[in-house]
Amino acid sequence: MTLTIPSVNMTALLPQIIIAGTALVVLMADLVLREKRALGILSFLGVAGALGAVAWLWWLGSVPSFQNMAVADHYALVVNIIILIAAGLGILLSLGYATHVTPHQGTYYALLLLAAAGMMTMGAATDLVTIFLALEILSLSLYILAGFNQADARSGEAALKYFLLGAFASAFFLYGATLVYAALGTTNLLALLTRSFRPDGPLLWVAAGLLIVGFGFKIALVPFQQWTPDVYQGAPTPVTAFMSVGTKAAAFAAFARVMIIFLPGSHSSWTYALAALAVLTMTVGNLAALRQASLKRMLAYSSIAHAGYLLVGFIAVMDGGMQAVFFYLLAYGFMNIGAFAVLVALERAGDGDVDATRARGLAARQPFLAALMALFMLSLAGIPPLAGFFGKLYVFSAAVQAGWAWLVVVGVLNSVISAYYYLGVTVGMYMQEEAAGEPVVVPARGVGLSLALTLAALGTVLLGLWSAPWLQLAARSAVAFMGG
Amino acid sequence: METLLFVVLGAVAVAAAGAVVLSKNAVHSALFLLLNFISLAVFYVVLNAQFLAVAQVIVYAGAIVVLFLFVIMLIGGEAGRLTAPGQSIVPISAAILSLIFLVALAYGIASGALAGVQGPASEDVLAQVGNVQALGQVLYTDYLLPVQLVAVLLLVAMVGAVVLAKRPKT
């Protein structure tokens, strides 16, 4: 038995390696640097470098690596871009925030970067083993990040809940992967995709069900969403902003790569199960969001609802649905992180949460901040010509083309419900008086926060007005995904 | 012979797993978990995976269960704290789902869908090169990337443990 040296192609994972390397440098620099803010800037530079690497790889074309364990095709690169944007904005938000939360800033930024590296690897992974390990890297980092606010009991509760339920969900995923291996003899998705026969049988049904539970937990689909509001509320706000977008992007990307081996056509049995999940997710998320007093919890439930809209596009995966999903994820990234950025500005130091009453009358005191919040809320509600509207438009039209008109009707109805609470915030800011007895909030300031708000607002507006380049990008990814 | 061994071991493993959940005393639960891990190790031996069997005993039975016992003793949770959950729909629906799962698996096995595919590591190959070498070869060629990802995962766990263990300065 001779040892053949495998084809190790490090370039395919260059963005991930840059991010993980930056995390190590940040950990080391924490020991010598006195000015902790520099750590955040260093992390941001790492993210920028990784974006550069993504651009270079895009130009190179599809690069497989590590015996087909991971691949740097356009699909993976688009996922990388979404995650890097979320990570960059999250780091900018943390620049002023992390000092209030924790003395261990080096670890904070390092874990944020490692979580991003895990998410990016998940998008590139083409083997169930790689997907599982990437999932664990991102999950472990996020469990710890969720509990980083040690002064706040809710943060510890968030970390513990997320950890216990997340470990359980990982076990589901692993069991599903094992059954795929038992039935088909390989865990490699590229090998499965190129097989001539379409797998079927009770074992694969069970396997697909278990895998859906595992992914559904990370994406926060109903009925696997119980952890979401508590974790989103308890975690430090920049972490919430980052994970709400990054985890969804990574999980949807890997989910699609896995499910395509189970989905022979646009109306196979699994799509019906997913459609039921989508209806539940949208409806439960929106109805629960209606009754939240805390803005952070409201955004948590709204993120569940958005996961439902994304799933509607996902169901049309065989008919170019992923292209719409990626466009939606990018739009969601800008508008949702923007909304969380406004919350960061409104939080009092060490408070960790924002009540809806605190936003009342904001327009009179802080017209600029109120205008930005209104912009993000309108985009989340899906009002044209903002990014959120086009995201929904593409997702829903992909579903209609795949023959899921009734599902789209449910989605549009849900969109109407969601407008109520998004506009409620806006109305509160512009038309209501400040709540009596509430101390006046002096919004946090900072270069990082301003920059993040500006970038998020620009992204929200530009993606709406000028969506063609990004759509082309997403279309390339869909082609790569179908093996083209 | 092998079938008989499998049936006996399987029964022990399942009974031990059930006892982990059902016993009222947390220390007993941990000890039943030990029994479950060891019967799994014997499974590995039967399947010609001696290296995995040894690793299973050292890592799980040795390190992890001992750690469990330490924690249980430290927080003093050994006696009767584990109360049965109240009336709720959760246990019933869990039982129904588990039953469906069992039926699907049993059908899969009975219909022969679980026949599996023979990998490169057949019994003869293992007898020739040994277990550790065969495993090492696969790990450092085909599964090189996962091995490296595990390294990153361990780094995350280590960094996280250090942060969580440090008490906030007051």
Side-chain angles (χ1 to χ4, degrees):
Chain A
M1 216 177 193
T2 51
L3 192 78
T4 41
I5 305 298
S7 72
V8 179
N9 188 353
M10 289 283 184
T11 40
L13 291 179
L14 193 60
Q16 285 90 334
I17 292 171
I18 290 176
I19 291 289
T22 314
L24 295 181
V25 172
V26 167
L27 271 181
M28 297 292 219
D30 189 26
L31 301 175
V32 286
L33 282 181
R34 197 155 288 228
E35 175 56 58
K36 299 297 181 194
R37 189 174 292 238
L39 296 172
I41 295 166
L42 195 63
S43 315
F44 188 72
L45 290 178
V47 171
L51 265 178
V54 169
W56 181 61
L57 282 173
W58 186 276
W59 172 74
L60 271 185
S62 179
V63 185
S65 81
F66 293 102
Q67 324 299 96
N68 285 332
M69 286 283 158
V71 63
D73 53 6
H74 288 151
Y75 179 82
L77 294 177
V78 168
V79 180
N80 281 358
I81 293 171
I82 297 171
I83 290 162
L84 285 171
I85 286 172
L89 291 174
I91 289 167
L92 285 179
L93 288 183
S94 306
L95 282 180
Y97 194 91
T99 31
H100 301 306
V101 174
T102 173
H104 315 298
Q105 288 195 46
T107 334
Y108 174 89
Y109 287 116
L111 283 173
L112 212 152
L113 288 171
L114 285 170
M119 292 169 185
M120 289 156 68
T121 312
M122 208 168 155
T126 48
D127 192 291
L128 287 172
V129 176
T130 331
I131 292 179
F132 175 70
L133 286 170
L135 182 73
E136 284 300 286
I137 292 174
L138 86 89
S139 306
L140 271 187
S141 314
L142 289 178
Y143 300 151
I144 300 155
L145 282 172
F148 234 86
N149 199 349
Q150 285 181 323
D152 190 347
R154 274 177 311 193
S155 186
E157 184 197 336
L160 193 65
K161 255 188 192 159
Y162 197 20
F163 172 62
L164 290 176
L165 291 173
F168 201 52
S170 295
F172 271 95
F173 177 88
L174 202 55
Y175 205 163
T178 321
L179 289 182
V180 170
Y181 183 71
L184 300 172
T186 177
T187 51
N188 196 295
L189 300 174
L190 291 181
L192 288 176
L193 198 60
T194 48
R195 280 203 182 169
S196 50
F197 70 95
R198 279 298 171 185
D200 203 8
L203 212 57
L204 280 173
W205 279 70
V206 178
L210 290 170
L211 289 170
I212 287 177
V213 174
F215 282 117
F217 176 84
K218 287 293 156 204
I219 301 170
L221 298 179
V222 177
F224 319 114
Q225 93 297 2
Q226 268 94 357
W227 57 278
T228 316
D230 289 330
V231 173
Y232 278 27
Q233 189 184 21
T237 314
V239 173
T240 313
F242 165 61
M243 71 190 266
S244 67
V245 177
T247 317
K248 277 194 184 64
F252 264 114
F255 196 16
R257 282 211 212 255
V258 172
M259 285 319 285
I260 199 164
I261 62 172
F262 295 110
L263 295 173
S266 49
H267 275 79
S268 68
S269 28
W270 278 110
T271 48
Y272 289 107
L274 289 177
L277 283 183
V279 170
L280 263 179
T281 307
M282 289 187 290
T283 315
V284 171
N286 277 321
L287 290 182
L290 285 176
R291 301 181 299 133
Q292 300 304 320
S294 147
L295 285 181
K296 237 173 147 180
R297 277 185 95 84
M298 186 205 90
L299 282 177
Y301 279 112
S302 110
S303 93
I304 296 175
H306 282 277
Y309 304 139
L310 281 163
L311 194 60
V312 172
F314 181 86
I315 287 167
V317 63
M318 300 301 282
D319 305 283
M322 278 323 274
Q323 171 184 351
V325 167
F326 282 145
F327 184 87
Y328 196 109
L329 274 168
L330 190 78
Y332 181 67
F334 281 121
M335 61 201 185
N336 199 46
I337 295 182
F340 275 113
V342 176
L343 296 199
V344 167
L346 290 180
E347 266 179 44
R348 264 185 240 105
D351 204 7
D353 198 2
V354 181
D355 233 39
T357 47
R358 205 180 295 169
R360 272 192 208 157
L362 190 70
R365 285 172 287 132
Q366 298 285 335
F368 189 61
L369 201 60
L372 283 178
M373 186 63 166
L375 175 80
F376 297 132
M377 287 295 132
L378 291 176
S379 182
L380 281 168
I383 310 281
L386 299 168
F389 168 75
F390 287 99
K392 276 193 186 124
L393 181 69
Y394 295 136
V395 161
F396 287 160
S397 63
V400 168
Q401 272 166 26
W404 289 95
W406 66 269
L407 193 59
V408 171
V409 172
V410 177
V412 171
L413 284 178
N414 263 289
S415 207
V416 174
I417 300 177
S418 77
Y420 178 80
Y421 57 86
Y422 290 130
L423 294 181
V425 175
T426 316
V427 167
M429 286 190 304
Y430 280 91
M431 304 193 175
Q432 287 177 339
E433 295 290 314
E434 276 172 64
E438 180 88 357
V440 176
V441 193
V442 183
R445 285 174 195 285
V447 183
L449 182 59
S450 313
L451 193 58
L453 275 171
T454 317
L455 288 176
L458 271 179
T460 309
V461 174
L462 285 183
L463 267 185
L465 296 179
W466 193 47
S467 56
W470 176 257
L471 262 183
Q472 277 167 11
L473 220 67
R476 286 283 290 279
S477 81
V479 171
F481 171 63
M482 301 299 290
Chain B
M1 178 62 199
E2 213 168 279
T3 322
L4 183 70
L5 201 60
F6 176 82
V7 170
V8 173
L9 276 175
V12 171
V14 170
V20 172
V21 185
L22 293 175
S23 50
K24 288 261 190 285
N25 188 322
V27 175
H28 294 175
S29 282
L31 291 176
F32 278 121
L33 193 62
L34 183 65
L35 182 61
N36 181 270
F37 284 158
I38 289 179
S39 43
L40 271 186
V42 182
F43 267 132
Y44 287 138
V45 174
V46 174
L47 291 170
N48 282 314
Q50 290 87 354
F51 178 76
L52 278 184
V54 174
Q56 167 86 8
V57 170
I58 293 175
V59 176
Y60 284 92
I64 290 180
V65 172
V66 170
L67 211 61
F68 274 3
L69 286 172
F70 261 123
V71 172
I72 293 168
M73 303 283 184
L74 270 178
I75 62 173
E78 64 261 44
R81 295 272 190 83
L82 306 167
T83 48
Q87 281 294 329
S88 133
I89 194 168
V90 175
I92 301 161
S93 45
I96 293 170
L97 282 178
S98 310
L99 206 67
I100 294 172
F101 188 66
L102 184 71
V103 169
L105 274 188
Y107 181 76
I109 294 165
S111 67
L114 239 182
V117 181
Q118 176 70 46
S122 67
E123 232 169 286
D124 301 332
V125 174
L126 284 181
Q128 239 174 32
V129 299
N131 219 283
V132 179
Q133 192 186 335
L135 192 68
Q137 171 144 27
V138 174
L139 277 185
Y140 286 93
T141 54
D142 289 350
Y143 287 84
L144 188 60
L145 180 64
V147 168
Q148 292 177 356
L149 287 178
V150 168
V152 178
L153 184 60
L154 289 177
L155 175 77
V156 171
M158 202 164 62
V159 169
V162 170
V163 174
L164 291 181
K166 271 189 190 170
R167 294 197 176 271
K169 286 174 200 152
T170 43

